[in-house]
């Protein structure tokens, strides 16, 4: 199988390319960094077009594929913690700079960058959509004029309440990303999840803290799932609709912060 990557603007693109190179029978044959105007035009009504044309569209949410996350979902489905009452999540990191801090290119700052991954997990664990969002959004940790911190309170259609710290609150000597945690509180127990615990903490005077991963490669699992979807002509595990729903929550958070009131997602 031959694969191509369109745009390497996002840092994960390099990890995905590396993951492709490790898969048997799969070859990375091309990488293109798309023109911005053309890219925006191609993104409009993307889900509908892919469905109409029978094209496989997968959202790049690699955290879903981490074994610890998969295990947490299994425990929830098996009823090990009873009925979920509330969830507390974090997705914190360092301000990545570059196009991330240009709203014209990124669509927003820390809130849109770090909300989508954890909201996707919450939706996936419960099979429920977010009904209402209240958010506090601000810029506190950097000089760039873009949001770098946010606290979201979510109410799901099944009555579950959740909170999410989705901030770029780490300092310059901290890893850019590597924090996805959840406390899933049920009527019969609690699950504590840390998707980045398989790492070594390496400290030095010149680089501060560095994380060296020794465990599972979620990016590789994501790419493997996409390749399997293509080979078997089946829907991917993370669909375009999943991506759209997560983005809806992030956009509602910005609206809530601007209006200073909860926003209902319809």
């Amino acid at each position: 199988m031959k694969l191509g990557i369109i745009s390497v603007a996002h840092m994960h693109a390099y990890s995905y390319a590396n993951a492709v190179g490790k898969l048997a029978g799969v070859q990375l044959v091309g990488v293109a960094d798309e023109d911005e105007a053309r890219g925006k035009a191609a993104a409009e009504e993307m889900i509908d077009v892919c469905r109409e044309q029978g094209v496989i569209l997968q959202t790049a949410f690699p955290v879903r594929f981490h074994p610890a996350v998969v295990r947490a979902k299994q425990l929830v489905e098996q009823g090990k913690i009873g009925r979920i009452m509330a969830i507390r999540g974090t997705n914190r990191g360092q301000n990545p700079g570059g196009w991330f801090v240009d709203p014209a290119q990124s669509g927003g700052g820390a809130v849109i960058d770090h909300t989508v991954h954890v909201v996707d997990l919450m939706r996936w664990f419960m099979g429920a959509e977010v009904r209402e969002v209240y958010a506090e959004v601000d810029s506190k940790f950097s000089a760039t004029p873009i949001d770098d911190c946010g606290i979201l309170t979510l109410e799901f259609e099944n009555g579950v309440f959740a909170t999410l710290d989705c901030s770029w609150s780490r300092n310059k000597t901290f890893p850019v990303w590597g924090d996805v945690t959840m406390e899933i509180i049920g009527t019969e127990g609690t699950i504590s999840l840390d998707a980045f615990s398989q790492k070594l903490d390496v400290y030095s005077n010149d680089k501060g803290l560095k994380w060296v991963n020794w465990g599972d490669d979620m990016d590789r699992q994501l790419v493997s799932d996409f390749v399997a979807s293509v080979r078997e002509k089946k829907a991917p595990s993370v669909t375009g609709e999943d991506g759209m729903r997560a983005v809806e929550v992030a956009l509602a958070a910005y609206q809530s912060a601007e209006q200073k009131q909860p926003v209902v997602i319809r």
Side-chain angles (χ1 to χ4, degrees), residues 55-120:
V55 175
I56 294 174
L57 175 63
Q58 176 168 329
T59 301
F61 284 155
V63 186
R64 270 207 202 190
F65 297 91
H66 194 284
V69 173
V70 174
R71 180 57 177 155
K73 178 173 171 57
Q74 291 172 345
L75 293 174
V76 169
E77 292 178 338
Q78 293 167 4
K80 297 297 185 180
I81 62 170
R83 180 170 60 88
I84 294 178
M85 303 293 291
I87 303 176
R88 181 180 64 185
T90 69
N91 191 353
R92 297 162 297 198
Q94 180 197 125
N95 186 329
W99 64 267
F100 279 87
V101 297
D102 181 357
Q105 299 186 66
S106 63
V111 170
I112 198 166
D113 181 29
H114 279 182
T115 290
V116 291
H117 291 282
V118 179
V119 166
D120 176 67

Side-chain angles (χ1 to χ4, degrees), residues 6 34-44 46:
I6 300 177
E34 73 275 23
D35 174 81
E36 182 179 352
R38 183 175 66 245
K40 288 183 177 179
E44 295 177 356
M46 182 166 38

Side-chain angles (χ1 to χ4, degrees), residues 92-221:
R92 297 162 297 198
Q94 180 197 125
N95 186 329
W99 64 267
F100 279 87
V101 297
D102 181 357
Q105 299 186 66
S106 63
V111 170
I112 198 166
D113 181 29
H114 279 182
T115 290
V116 291
H117 291 282
V118 179
V119 166
D120 176 67
L121 296 185
M122 293 175 177
R123 292 181 57 254
W124 188 48
F125 286 166
M126 298 186 291
E129 302 295 345
V130 176
R131 189 188 74 84
E132 187 174 276
V133 180
Y134 178 75
E136 296 281 347
V137 178
D138 211 333
S139 179
K140 295 289 187 181
F141 301 105
S142 64
T144 54
I146 199 168
D147 59 284
D148 57 17
C149 58
I151 294 290
L152 277 59
T153 301
L154 313 174
E155 181 182 353
F156 284 79
E157 292 176 338
N158 60 358
V160 172
F161 284 90
T163 61
L164 172 60
D165 178 352
C166 50
S167 304
W168 290 336
S169 54
R170 305 304 196 190
N171 60 44
K172 293 181 179 180
T173 59
F174 211 84
V176 174
W177 193 48
D179 170 71
V180 172
T181 71
M182 297 175 68
E183 294 288 329
I184 309 170
I185 303 165
T187 54
E188 304 296 328
T190 300
I191 296 174
S192 296
L193 170 66
D194 184 347
F196 287 89
S197 62
Q198 296 179 333
K199 65 181 186 302
L200 300 176
D201 294 339
V202 180
Y203 298 91
S204 64
N205 289 331
D206 57 334
K207 295 183 179 179
L209 171 62
K210 181 180 179 181
W211 287 336
V212 178
N213 179 64
W214 54 260
D216 300 284
D217 187 343
M218 65 182 80
D219 288 342
R220 183 176 181 179
Q221 296 299 324

Side-chain angles (χ1 to χ4, degrees), residues 1-3 19-29 220 227-228 230-231:
M1 183 185 298
K2 297 181 179 180
L3 295 181
V20 170
K22 296 179 181 178
L23 297 177
V26 181
Q27 181 183 7
L28 180 63
V29 295
R220 183 176 181 179
V227 170
V230 175
R231 283 176 171 163

Side-chain angles (χ1 to χ4, degrees), residues 228-247:
S229 298
V230 175
R231 283 176 171 163
E232 300 169 21
K233 295 181 172 58
K234 66 177 184 178
S237 299
V238 192
T239 66
E241 286 85 354
D242 289 324
M244 180 183 68
R245 293 299 182 186
V247 171

